[in-house]
Amino acid sequence: MSSAPISLPVNGSPIKFGTDGWRGVIAADFTFERVVRVAAIAAQILEEVYGPATGSRTIIVGFDRRFMAETFAQAAAESIQSVGFDVMLSESYAPTPAFSWLANQRKALGAIVLTASHNPAAYLGLKVKGAFGGSVPPEVTHRIEAQLAQENPVGSASPGKLEKFNIWPSYCEMLRSMVDIARIKEAVAQGQLTVFVDAMHGAGATGLGKILEVPVQEINSDRDPLFDGGAPEPLPRYLSSLFRLMRTHRRSVNPGLSVGFVFDGDADRIAAVDGDGTFLSSQILIPVLIEHLAKRRGFMGAVIKTVSGSDLIPRVAKLYDRPLMETAIGFKYIADRMLENRVLIGGEESGGIGYGTHVPERDALLSSLYLLEAIVHSGLELGTLYRRAQDQADYHFSYDRIDLPLSSMAVADRLREQLKTTTLKEIAGQSVVDCLTIDGYKFRLSDGSWLLIRFSGTEPVLRLYCEAPNLAQVRDTLAWAKQWAEGV
């Protein structure tokens, strides 16, 4: 299975934080020398920002299951310890949201998590989480970048303490407390609901089984730093085994309700598969979750979507009289709104969903539990719940996204300059009504459809998104965009 080309860094290239953390190619850009420096400086900036409010000297350090992630985490922890901070270092892999939650729970300065999330196997990364339990805002990562351009951090005459801990028991217990766990367990135990999981060899492996304490059928639970030659991203092209398993189960066993969940590499993103083997992206899951949380659970607060989110989301929010907010892509922008407002749910097209009932962080395991709760409370599968939401909102548009690998970041810069200097008046036969530039270029077209052209912050990849009245038109519009990009 092919993946996007790897753009190796130029010697001395600066460390830049993307939509959620710094990521780089292992041994080329992501090296021990750089990691220990970033970790120490990030700890010092976290103290400057959150120390006055917390009075803490503690940093949480965690990691996922990527190649040498635990070794990089150990090096980061020792570096943080050497500049005078106490460190709690995870003794095993765990989901990134677990470490975010613990930072808030323990009133720590924040967390440093060694993960490259959904990126291909060659990458590793470092995420910085704040004391509030979510990704630090851009002004904090800018301060880290600025400090990296200065002198090296100075070691402390009094190094901090380093202790190891197991986060899984407390994290699982917290998640159980947030849903109708007894009813979910009963439905699974009695065979009324069959649950499948594709862990994508990532940090969410065994997590749902630990929480439910009843059997779930999990695949790709083993550690494979090569991710079967693909990437731990919850997209259909990586899920052939789960599709096959669930369709075979439906044909041979003819069960009642069933659902499959897919977690990305650090288990902060989610997708699902319906009982008949149909892929359900977060564009489908978010409307279902809005209905469940607003109608059945009675939770209040605003709905937050990114610019790449489906237009069905604001329509369903309006059905339940919930205000809507829209942000740039990247959950840290949603988290900013969650810190300032009462929020029901905040979600992004790529699978990150967070809740006002939790820390301002996307959490795939919590999303799976709320979705299980929606199934057992309604007696309906997720696809049926989604179609009902479409009918109630009178909105039946189709959606898709493609990622176009580019040969280098220089090509991305050329395309970006073309969009900046050239006005597109027509796209795939539809006139352009307006263009939103909050994040990339989102073109609204005359028939109500839209096309978003956006650049990855961590890879040489062009992301193309479209929503249109039917799937054929979506594909035509994406094909037009791909041809445009290749012709520049």
Side-chain angles (χ1 to χ4, degrees):
M1 186 178 296
S2 62
S3 59
I6 296 172
S7 179
L8 296 178
V10 177
N11 288 338
S13 60
I15 293 169
K16 294 290 185 182
F17 283 75
T19 53
D20 191 13
W22 161 55
R23 298 173 200 177
V25 177
I26 299 170
D29 188 38
F30 198 87
T31 64
F32 282 104
E33 180 182 12
R34 287 184 145 200
V35 167
V36 298
R37 191 160 182 265
V38 172
I41 289 174
Q44 292 172 338
I45 299 299
L46 287 173
E47 182 189 31
E48 292 175 11
V49 176
Y50 303 110
T54 64
S56 176
R57 296 284 299 170
T58 299
I59 304 282
I60 311 295
V61 176
F63 56 92
D64 66 7
R65 302 176 88 189
R66 285 178 178 268
F67 179 66
M68 293 187 72
E70 63 272 48
T71 311
F72 276 101
Q74 180 74 38
E78 292 173 357
S79 177
I80 295 168
Q81 180 189 19
S82 73
V83 291
F85 295 93
D86 295 333
V87 180
M88 292 179 61
L89 173 63
S90 179
E91 63 184 24
S92 74
Y93 71 87
T96 291
F99 300 117
S100 296
W101 166 77
L102 188 65
N104 178 263
Q105 181 77 5
R106 293 294 294 263
K107 295 180 172 56
L109 289 170
I112 303 294
V113 187
L114 279 297
T115 175
S117 187
H118 63 285
N119 286 82
Y123 290 83
L124 190 52
L126 184 149
K127 292 184 178 182
V128 182
K129 305 296 181 176
F132 58 90
S135 296
V136 294
E139 53 266 28
V140 174
T141 55
H142 291 162
R143 288 175 64 174
I144 296 172
E145 290 171 352
Q147 189 63 33
L148 285 166
Q150 306 303 316
E151 71 282 353
N152 288 323
V154 178
S156 171
S158 302
K161 297 177 295 183
L162 192 154
E163 63 174 298
K164 292 193 174 183
F165 70 99
N166 179 6
I167 197 171
W168 279 105
S170 59
Y171 176 59
C172 290
E173 183 58 34
M174 178 273 298
L175 291 176
R176 287 188 202 102
S177 71
M178 298 185 68
V179 295
D180 187 354
I181 195 70
R183 192 163 174 183
I184 296 170
K185 290 172 65 172
E186 180 183 21
V188 177
Q190 294 184 358
Q192 300 166 358
L193 172 62
T194 305
V195 180
F196 299 87
V197 174
D198 187 340
M200 302 198 87
H201 309 288
T206 73
L208 196 55
K210 285 186 174 80
I211 295 165
L212 295 180
E213 299 174 315
V214 291
V216 299
Q217 299 193 38
E218 185 169 291
I219 62 172
N220 295 322
S221 294
D222 60 310
R223 186 180 189 181
D224 176 10
L226 296 179
F227 305 111
D228 292 325
E233 187 170 12
L235 296 175
R237 64 177 175 269
Y238 300 128
L239 305 179
S240 57
S241 296
L242 182 61
F243 290 144
R244 186 165 51 249
L245 175 63
M246 292 189 65
R247 287 167 182 159
T248 300
H249 182 78
R250 175 59 59 93
R251 287 196 303 267
S252 60
V253 182
N254 190 28
L257 303 170
S258 58
V259 64
F261 295 116
V262 188
F263 307 137
D264 78 329
D266 66 337
D268 62 1
R269 300 188 184 194
I270 187 172
V273 177
D274 212 6
D276 61 0
T278 302
F279 179 74
L280 308 174
S281 72
S282 58
Q283 301 278 44
I284 292 171
L285 302 180
I286 292 171
V288 171
L289 285 161
I290 294 171
E291 182 203 26
H292 175 65
L293 297 175
K295 181 181 177 180
R296 299 188 193 90
R297 294 298 302 268
F299 295 162
M300 302 303 294
V303 172
I304 310 175
K305 68 180 285 290
T306 63
V307 293
S308 60
S310 169
D311 284 350
L312 178 61
I313 294 171
R315 288 173 177 253
V316 174
K318 186 176 181 180
L319 284 176
Y320 297 101
D321 196 27
R322 299 301 192 270
L324 182 84
M325 303 177 186
E326 190 169 49
T327 72
I329 295 173
F331 199 84
K332 60 187 175 185
Y333 302 109
I334 296 176
D336 286 346
R337 300 291 184 91
M338 295 178 79
L339 289 170
E340 299 169 355
N341 304 273
R342 188 176 186 183
V343 169
L344 174 74
I345 184 173
E348 51 186 354
E349 164 273 336
S350 58
I353 308 173
Y355 307 90
T357 55
H358 194 28
V359 291
E361 176 72 292
R362 52 195 172 182
D363 191 323
L365 285 170
L366 178 56
S367 291
S368 69
L369 292 172
Y370 276 140
L371 290 165
L372 286 173
E373 193 177 62
I375 293 170
V376 299
H377 282 195
S378 67
L380 301 172
E381 291 190 337
L382 295 179
T384 303
L385 289 170
Y386 174 68
R387 289 186 290 273
R388 188 168 71 178
Q390 286 182 303
D391 291 340
Q392 291 172 341
D394 191 24
Y395 188 81
H396 295 83
F397 275 38
S398 297
Y399 169 90
D400 200 5
R401 161 191 151 186
I402 60 174
D403 291 349
L404 183 63
L406 304 175
S407 59
S408 68
M409 296 302 279
V411 174
D413 292 338
R414 187 167 70 245
L415 290 170
R416 190 180 286 108
E417 183 63 22
Q418 178 74 8
L419 286 167
K420 183 179 178 180
T421 58
T422 304
T423 301
L424 293 176
K425 296 182 178 180
E426 185 176 289
I427 292 175
Q430 295 289 328
S431 59
V432 175
V433 175
D434 62 45
C435 179
L436 181 67
T437 56
I438 186 175
D439 190 344
Y441 293 80
K442 185 174 183 177
F443 299 95
R444 285 273 178 193
L445 308 181
S446 55
D447 64 347
S449 62
W450 55 265
L451 169 70
L452 172 62
I453 301 175
R454 179 178 172 270
F455 300 87
S456 167
T458 56
E459 305 171 75
V461 173
L462 185 66
R463 305 199 190 282
L464 306 171
Y465 315 73
C466 179
E467 191 167 57
N470 55 70
L471 190 56
Q473 188 173 336
V474 169
R475 289 171 176 164
D476 287 345
T477 304
L478 290 173
W480 180 95
K482 181 180 178 182
Q483 186 177 26
W484 167 85
E486 291 173 342
V488 172

